[in-house]
Every structure is written in structure tokens, then in C-alpha cells.
Amino acid sequence: MLIIGDRGYQVEALQQNLNRHGYGLETDGLYGPDTETAVRHFQRAHNLVVDGIAGRKTRRALIQGDDPKALRQIDLVGAADTLEVDLAAVMAVNEVESRGVGFHFGGPRNNEPVILYERHIMRRRLEHHGVSPVAYERSHPRLVNTAPGGYIGGHREHNRLDKARDLHNEAAIESASWGAFQIMGFHWSRLGYASAHAWLEAMRASEGHQLEAFVRFIEADRAIHNALRRHDWRDFARRYNGPAFEKNDYDTKLAAAHRRHSQALEVAA
């Protein structure tokens, strides 16, 4: 992720790619106001999130063209309207709390949603569905366990999920966190989805659908919704990230991102 103030060869490469689209920047390797303005213009022209940050999706679009599954600025505007919060707040949450991308690009899992499979949740969901997990704990401890862990990361998490789906399809879908906002699948019913499979299809559809799941998640929790409305970033981070939120400074990152986006929106207005 490149932002204003950054410098170096990656910024120079960004400027060169922007110039291929006709922006006429000096390739000095400094992410200054002119570069940020060019990034915002490109993002607006290509239906991306207009935040002036050259993340993976913006840099990929500069080289490979538009991605129909990518999150759009209009998606964030709609989320802000639905939640009745200011747009800068939603943009701050998208910047800090999302993984930046909701899908894998390239490789054997191209266009599959990003996930993290949780084996200890699988154990609970099997019990929820009336299936004893004991035999699976013995035969598949990497997939069903009382303790979290066993992560292999990246697109390979889908390998774990596929094997878990062979044990119990619905429980496995419910036992992964999904998409850019990493919401657990077992929330599907509470969030108004018809089934675990309907949840899966929504997560596969687009980052806009993944954002919709996030919006439903916030709407379903009055306390976290109120924290977002108040811009109480400490309370929001504690509820969204859990008690260890301070370790990663989520609250201060959210506050800083909200200030930055608020100022940028005022300038744009």
C-alpha cells in the first residue's frame, strides 16, 4: 500500500504506470500531492474506491485493467447511507479492518474469496448440527480440534476447507471467515441469508457483496453500530477485533484514517 509521503522505487513504478494512462507525472519516486491527485482521478475513472491510496487493486488495475469484482466507491456510499454514518467512517473501516482484497488473484485459487478456516469452530459447528466431533478429532485433527491453529495461510486455506466440506459441508462453510472483512460463516442466518450455501455464493460474487455482509453484521449489533456512529474508535475496535485490539493499534489507525478521509472528502466537496 502506497500513500502520500511515501518514496522509493515502488512509487516511481506507480508514477510510470500512471503516466502510461496519460497523467504526465514527474517520476521522482515521491508520493506527493500530484501523484495522489492522479491516483484519485484514476480510481474515480475506473470505478474503484476513491481514497488516494495505491493499494494492490489500484496498482493491478493500472497494469491489468478493470476487475468487475472489485469494491467500488458507490458501494461504500451505499453502505454509509444504509448504516446512517458518514462516508469517511465507512472508508476508514474499509481501509483498516478489511484485508485490502476480498479475492485471490492468480494461482490455483484465482477469483476464490480469501478465507481463514478455523478448526476449533468446525468442532463446535459439528456439535451444532448434531454430529459428534470425537471421531473426526482423531482422524482429522488438522480439521477438527478443540484448539485453534493448523493455519497454512493464503489460497491454501481453501485446501483445508475443501477437506472439511467432505466431512460436513455446511459446518465447514460456517467454520471459515470470509472475504475482505473476514466475517465468520456461522453468522449467515443471523444476517439474513437463506442458507450457508447462499452465504457462500454471496462471498464468491464480489467485494460489494462482501461489504453488504459487513453492513448486515454491523446492523445486527446495536452496540458496535452505535460506536461507529459516535466515531468511538476504541469501543468499535474492541468489539470488532476483540480484547487484543490494542496490540495492533486498531483504534488509533481507525481514528487517523477517519481524519484523513474526512479532510479529503471536504477538499473534494
Side-chain angles (χ1 to χ4, degrees):
M1 181 175 71
L2 299 172
I3 62 174
I4 194 164
D6 286 345
R7 61 176 67 237
Y9 72 92
Q10 290 182 319
V11 176
E12 186 174 347
L14 169 68
Q15 292 167 331
Q16 291 171 349
N17 286 327
L18 285 164
N19 287 343
R20 292 189 184 98
H21 290 264
Y23 287 96
L25 295 168
E26 180 182 359
T27 55
D28 57 3
L30 174 62
Y31 201 122
D34 290 344
T35 300
E36 184 186 45
T37 297
V39 167
R40 287 182 179 276
H41 185 276
F42 178 82
Q43 290 170 332
R44 189 176 298 109
H46 291 266
N47 291 319
L48 295 166
V49 171
V50 185
D51 57 9
I53 298 171
R56 284 180 287 178
K57 284 180 285 190
T58 296
R59 286 183 285 170
R60 186 172 59 246
L62 280 164
I63 298 170
Q64 299 179 9
D66 296 351
D67 173 16
K69 288 189 174 184
L71 192 66
R72 305 168 299 165
Q73 186 72 10
I74 193 64
D75 296 324
L76 296 177
V77 172
D81 287 345
T82 299
L83 293 173
E84 298 182 336
V85 300
D86 62 290
L87 176 58
V90 175
M91 293 182 71
V93 173
N94 177 61
E95 177 184 331
V96 175
E97 297 289 5
S98 86
R99 296 173 61 113
V101 293
F103 292 88
H104 296 292
F105 293 94
R109 297 293 182 168
N110 185 48
N111 278 330
E112 285 283 351
V114 294
I115 65 165
L116 188 66
Y117 174 77
E118 301 285 3
R119 66 187 187 184
H120 64 297
I121 302 297
M122 180 66 171
R123 187 184 189 283
R124 297 177 196 170
R125 298 314 293 174
L126 286 170
E127 291 182 326
H128 172 81
H129 290 289
V131 177
S132 173
V134 175
Y136 291 135
E137 285 182 275
R138 294 170 181 163
S139 61
H140 298 80
R142 295 182 179 181
L143 303 179
V144 182
N145 207 298
T146 57
Y151 310 115
I152 52 180
H155 66 83
R156 293 182 298 170
E157 287 294 316
H158 277 279
N159 298 337
R160 300 175 71 208
L161 178 64
D162 288 347
K163 293 174 182 176
R165 291 181 71 180
D166 288 338
L167 304 182
H168 193 289
N169 184 46
E170 187 170 351
I173 294 170
E174 295 168 342
S175 299
S177 57
W178 291 86
F181 297 90
Q182 290 294 281
I183 297 175
M184 291 298 302
F186 63 75
H187 290 296
W188 66 263
S189 180
R190 185 169 70 96
L191 302 186
Y193 292 88
S195 65
H197 183 73
W199 166 267
L200 172 63
E201 291 306 306
M203 296 302 99
R204 285 175 167 170
S206 70
E207 290 178 350
H209 282 79
Q210 294 172 3
L211 176 64
E212 181 184 349
F214 166 80
V215 169
R216 294 188 190 192
F217 182 82
I218 298 300
E219 285 184 306
D221 188 323
R222 181 177 297 179
I224 198 170
H225 195 177
N226 286 337
L228 183 60
R229 283 174 168 163
R230 296 193 311 270
H231 306 149
D232 186 340
W233 299 116
R234 184 175 180 83
D235 190 32
F236 180 88
R238 178 176 61 83
R239 294 180 184 279
Y240 193 82
N241 301 108
F245 73 94
E246 291 179 308
K247 185 188 306 182
N248 294 303
D249 293 327
Y250 284 117
D251 55 335
T252 55
K253 290 176 181 176
L254 284 162
H258 182 249
R259 285 194 300 272
R260 185 171 64 255
H261 290 303
S262 295
Q263 292 165 0
L265 289 172
E266 289 171 4
V267 169

